[in-house]
Amino acid sequence: MKTIAPDRLPALLRAMPKAELHLHVEGSLEPELIFRLAARNGVALPYASVEALRAAYAFGDLQSFLDIYYAGASVLRHELDFFEMAWAYLERAAADNVVHAEIFFDPQTHTARGVPIEAVIQGLDHACHRAHAELGVSAKLILCFLRHLSEDDALATLETALPYRHHFIGVGLDSSERGHPPEKFARVFARCRELGLHRVAHAGEEGPPAYIESALDVLRVERIDHGVRCVESPALVERLARARMPLTVCPLSNVKLRVFPTLAQHNLKALLDAGLCVTINSDDPAYFGGYVNENFVQTFAALPALTADDAYRLAANSFEASFASADDKARWTRQLDEAFAAAG
Ligand code: HPA
Ligand code: ZN
């Protein structure tokens, strides 16, 4: 690879093509859109203004974030609301040179308020199709189960989603991690595997390395979301590296939710050096202070040990770790090579 001058690295991080694999679409809901949808749908918010809402974005841990995140999502009522939210994200993703996004959504957050799952999925699907046609972004959906709810609730949600099976490529597991180990969802993930759905799970964000192991062994996941606590078990790190099991890491999220005290103390470089298939993602960008390019640029600024080779590896990993076709992966990797050749 050609040498890249360090002062040219931030521009290259922004310009290089990349896939985003860990993005909760409800976490892309910006305060301005929350207020616009609240007014349109007649939903009362416990915040007087956009500024007051933004001022509440100071989180002590995952749960304190989730409480505000679910309150924000309460303004979503109709198919058009879901379309507008996803479209706004996809326009931002395109501006960050995201060529492929695998987008998480939380149907139970909405169906519990009486929103039909059809409105959720059709609105999001419409935005994905339009993004492909108009922005050149490939966009797919991953349905997430909320782990603080029961497995029976997850199974019932899966059944109501099956008429729209062709609109999502896989399932995930998110929400409060501690006290809700992956094995709680063994049956629903087994059913999803039978249905040919891809499987991912949040594990090792706040939870222990044992949760990463049970996500692999019991849920048979194909990627781990976050996974940063794997370093507490050297044997697990070795297993993840050997299997090239992807970890979708979200640096700004990890600092906002106090998984690491500062970005400079993030273990991303150590994970890469251990040979892990790490990717950089934005998680809930409207809440955590930046979309994917901001995650790249701020992380590289905070961790000077990260090199242009690491930048290339992170983008290449994002394609490798995606559920896209081999042809698409090869095409995006060629575009990545071109971006590096042009910058060298
Ligand atoms: N962790 C768990 N659940 C979530 C997150 C997260 O970072 N964001 C949205 N739901
Ligand atoms: Zn997440």
Side-chain angles (χ1 to χ4, degrees):
M1 189 182 299
K2 288 186 199 167
T3 318
I4 309 281
D7 61 330
R8 299 181 73 168
L9 195 48
L12 179 57
L13 291 168
R14 293 185 190 279
M16 67 184 186
K18 54 190 72 75
E20 175 143 66
L21 306 178
H22 184 159
L23 174 284
H24 303 264
V25 72
E26 293 90 349
S28 74
L29 203 47
E30 292 285 345
E32 290 76 9
L33 186 52
I34 290 179
F35 270 81
R36 194 158 65 73
L37 294 179
R40 188 162 88 192
N41 292 334
V43 176
L45 288 171
Y47 302 94
S49 64
V50 163
E51 293 70 32
L53 176 56
R54 233 185 256 285
Y57 292 0
F59 313 114
D61 60 6
L62 174 59
Q63 193 58 52
S64 64
F65 155 69
L66 290 170
D67 294 342
I68 290 191
Y69 163 85
Y70 293 129
S74 71
V75 300
L76 296 157
R77 294 285 155 106
H78 307 292
E79 183 177 324
L80 179 63
D81 307 338
F82 291 92
F83 167 78
E84 288 182 3
M85 169 174 63
W87 181 251
Y89 162 68
L90 286 161
E91 283 192 309
R92 287 187 153 98
D96 278 1
N97 295 302
V98 170
V99 294
H100 177 69
E102 295 180 5
I103 301 173
F104 295 149
F105 68 108
D106 289 341
Q108 289 154 297
T109 303
H110 314 298
T111 52
R113 292 180 286 107
V115 177
I117 197 163
E118 178 190 5
V120 179
I121 297 181
Q122 302 277 37
L124 300 177
D125 178 63
H126 178 194
C128 290
H129 280 278
R130 193 164 151 195
H132 195 235
E134 294 184 21
L135 305 172
V137 176
S138 153
K140 305 289 175 192
L141 297 173
I142 294 180
L143 183 158
C144 286
F145 302 115
L146 298 180
R147 68 202 304 158
H148 67 273
L149 301 179
S150 70
E151 185 179 42
D152 283 346
D153 205 305
L155 281 162
T157 300
L158 177 64
E159 288 308 315
T160 63
L162 283 184
Y164 312 98
R165 161 73 183 84
H166 51 295
H167 290 327
F168 54 99
I169 60 167
V171 296
L173 188 63
D174 64 3
S175 189
S176 324
E177 187 178 2
R178 284 200 194 107
H180 302 286
E183 51 270 34
K184 179 177 161 186
F185 295 91
R187 287 180 302 146
V188 69
F189 270 68
R191 171 101 174 97
C192 290
R193 188 159 175 264
E194 281 167 14
L195 289 165
L197 287 160
H198 288 293
R199 296 157 318 279
V200 300
H202 284 53
E205 177 187 20
E206 285 192 341
Y211 283 20
I212 299 175
E213 283 165 353
S214 58
L216 296 172
D217 295 332
V218 182
L219 303 189
R220 316 264 309 249
V221 297
E222 299 156 87
R223 292 197 296 253
I224 297 287
D225 295 312
H226 293 294
V228 291
R229 285 192 59 191
C230 70
V231 293
E232 294 167 33
S233 165
L236 176 58
V237 170
E238 205 184 303
R239 174 183 180 183
L240 293 167
R242 211 177 324 112
R244 282 207 66 72
M245 176 60 57
L247 302 187
T248 62
V249 174
C250 307
L252 290 178
S253 163
N254 290 156
V255 174
K256 291 283 182 198
L257 301 188
R258 307 197 190 187
V259 175
F260 296 95
T262 66
L263 261 189
Q265 287 158 285
H266 199 286
N267 66 6
L268 183 115
K269 176 66 177 165
L271 296 173
L272 278 170
D273 288 349
L276 294 168
C277 183
V278 177
T279 68
I280 285 189
N281 309 269
S282 67
D283 209 5
D284 300 283
Y287 293 90
F288 298 151
Y291 287 76
V292 70
N293 277 359
E294 213 46 48
N295 273 271
F296 270 99
V297 170
Q298 290 194 33
T299 303
F300 274 69
L303 297 171
L306 287 170
T307 63
D309 276 2
D310 292 321
Y312 182 92
R313 205 176 322 156
L314 286 160
N317 287 349
S318 75
F319 302 137
E320 178 188 338
S322 77
F323 298 132
S325 70
D327 281 355
D328 281 342
K329 291 182 186 193
R331 183 162 45 85
W332 296 326
T333 306
R334 280 197 301 276
Q335 290 171 6
L336 178 63
D337 290 336
E338 285 162 17
F340 271 72

